Amino acid sequence: MTTPEPRLTSLAHGGGCGCKLAPAVLRDILKGMPVAAPFADLMVGTETSDDAAVWRLNDSQALVATTDFFMPVVDDPFHFGQIAATNALSDVYAMGGTPIFALALVGMPVNVLSTHTIGRILQGGAAACAAAGIPVAGGHSIDSVEPIYGLVALGLVHPDHVLTNRGARPGDVLLLTKGLGVGVLSAAFKQDRLDKEGYRTLKDSTTRLNSFGAKLAGRAGVHAVTDVTGFGLLGHALEMARGADATVEITADPPMLLGVRDLLGKGVRTGASARNWASYGAEVDLPDGLEDWRRDLLTDPQTSGGLLIAVAEAEVEDLRVLARLNGSGFTIVGRVVEGPPRVRVVA
């Protein structure tokens, strides 16, 4: 009799972007990195905690390069591959780039998982890349204690149209293209507290490409873009505030995915949410009496989350039309104002 394979999520100590190092830990590690020699064609490097590196190839092309990988956030191997690949491609879109191809990063416990299961993970990743119109052109695999999958993703953008997380200006409105709560849904899934509708919501959100980002490159009034992933909305808004040397105001009532409010009310959250707050809470001002569940939502790690866009207020409605044409949408979640580089949550 064949022994059934374990749940993918049971083989990992964390899942999705909740696996990321806490922001404070990452900053402490990176501060010891030697300063790289200047390279004239390196347009975006490690200096601003941006979503990808950008290298100027010529007067009309720049290469966007990124990598992202993590452990399972769901048990279905095909869905896991789809989610991880969609998440990796998001960094290219967040820079205004159009993906051109990807390489797979694969670490699997080959004595625990069947080749069929591992193959389904890779097929899911390839399906996400196919939806983006690109091939998985190679990669690298190792035998690993925990299952790990992701991509090296490469794209192209015009050098004059590169989007970064540091160009926001006071007066800009902040837009978010996906609802929050992926971490909450993921935690509920691991606790066997997520129903079929909740799982469908989780999968649909995390496998929806952020291809709208490529449409923003060169768009008048779009000043900064980043994707909201493991550090939560507050963490990525803080990176934007630092890059702008201004204060970012975030609503205490951002859009939520279906079912998230109920789960938060039942105390469901991820450990990464608490780690996020411990890392950057000193740089965030909260309104008096803010409920704990709202803070948990704002720090909730988003696997394959939406784009956070800083845009001139006069351009919002034109951008809304463009988003609809791209099969996307957004919600206004805040604005940039004069002040120190902090985040202020407003009721």
Side-chain angles (χ1 to χ4, degrees):
M1 182 175 178
T2 304
T3 302
E5 288 187 5
R7 293 175 57 176
L8 282 178
T9 52
S10 73
L11 299 174
H13 74 280
C17 285
C19 298
K20 292 177 71 169
L21 293 176
V25 174
L26 182 60
R27 292 180 71 185
D28 193 46
I29 291 171
L30 293 179
K31 73 181 182 182
M33 290 286 289
V35 177
F39 292 89
D41 290 318
L42 182 61
M43 300 180 64
V44 181
T46 61
E47 61 280 351
T48 58
S49 302
D50 226 313
D51 296 297
V54 182
W55 185 274
R56 185 191 304 271
L57 296 174
N58 50 53
D59 290 343
S60 61
Q61 291 178 312
L63 180 69
V64 181
T66 184
T67 184
D68 210 317
F69 53 88
F70 47 61
M71 291 163 281
V73 68
V74 295
D75 290 326
D76 184 290
F78 189 87
H79 293 165
F80 169 39
Q82 274 186 302
I83 293 167
T86 303
N87 178 76
L89 292 171
S90 180
D91 287 339
V92 174
Y93 292 128
M95 307 300 290
T98 298
I100 53 175
F101 72 91
L103 306 174
L105 300 173
V106 185
M108 294 290 155
V110 294
N111 292 327
V112 178
L113 295 177
S114 68
T115 55
H116 173 75
T117 295
I118 297 171
R120 288 293 288 166
I121 294 171
L122 271 61
Q123 290 165 19
C129 289
I134 65 168
V136 178
H140 183 64
S141 59
I142 62 168
D143 187 359
S144 172
V145 175
E146 297 181 86
I148 298 169
Y149 179 74
L151 300 177
V152 173
L154 302 172
L156 292 175
V157 64
H158 193 287
D160 296 338
H161 298 162
V162 175
L163 298 170
T164 71
N165 64 4
R166 62 179 184 265
R169 306 173 188 177
D172 283 351
V173 173
L174 297 180
L175 316 175
L176 183 64
T177 63
K178 292 184 183 182
L180 301 178
V182 171
V184 173
L185 296 176
S186 303
F189 178 78
K190 292 195 75 170
Q191 297 167 21
D192 289 324
R193 298 169 70 178
L194 191 67
D195 59 22
K196 290 183 179 179
E197 188 173 22
Y199 182 83
R200 188 181 307 112
T201 298
L202 171 64
K203 182 185 77 69
D204 289 349
S205 179
T206 53
T207 57
R208 179 155 54 90
L209 292 166
N210 279 327
S211 54
F212 181 49
K215 305 294 184 182
L216 301 176
R219 185 82 185 184
V222 176
H223 298 141
V225 179
T226 189
D227 62 342
V228 178
T229 54
F231 299 158
L233 178 58
L234 292 186
H236 293 285
L238 180 58
E239 291 179 338
M240 193 172 279
R242 290 169 180 155
D245 195 26
T247 296
V248 167
E249 292 184 340
I250 294 291
T251 177
D253 191 27
M256 283 179 281
L257 296 173
L258 185 67
V260 169
R261 173 65 185 92
D262 181 58
L263 290 167
L264 283 166
K266 295 175 181 177
V268 178
R269 70 170 186 173
T270 70
S273 177
R275 292 194 298 273
N276 281 340
W277 180 250
S279 292
Y280 53 66
E283 298 173 84
V284 177
D285 301 316
L286 300 178
D288 293 338
L290 185 75
E291 301 99 318
D292 287 345
W293 71 264
R294 292 188 185 275
R295 194 191 74 180
D296 291 341
L297 176 67
L298 292 168
T299 57
D300 187 55
Q302 303 304 290
T303 299
S304 193
L307 298 176
L308 183 64
I309 305 162
V311 59
E313 191 164 9
E315 303 297 328
V316 171
E317 292 311 311
D318 284 347
L319 213 58
R320 197 182 301 278
V321 173
L322 181 66
R324 289 196 187 110
L325 292 174
N326 192 64
S328 185
F330 56 73
T331 303
I332 296 174
V333 295
R335 62 180 56 247
V336 184
V337 299
E338 297 281 357
R342 296 178 62 82
V343 173
R344 181 187 304 134
V345 178
V346 294

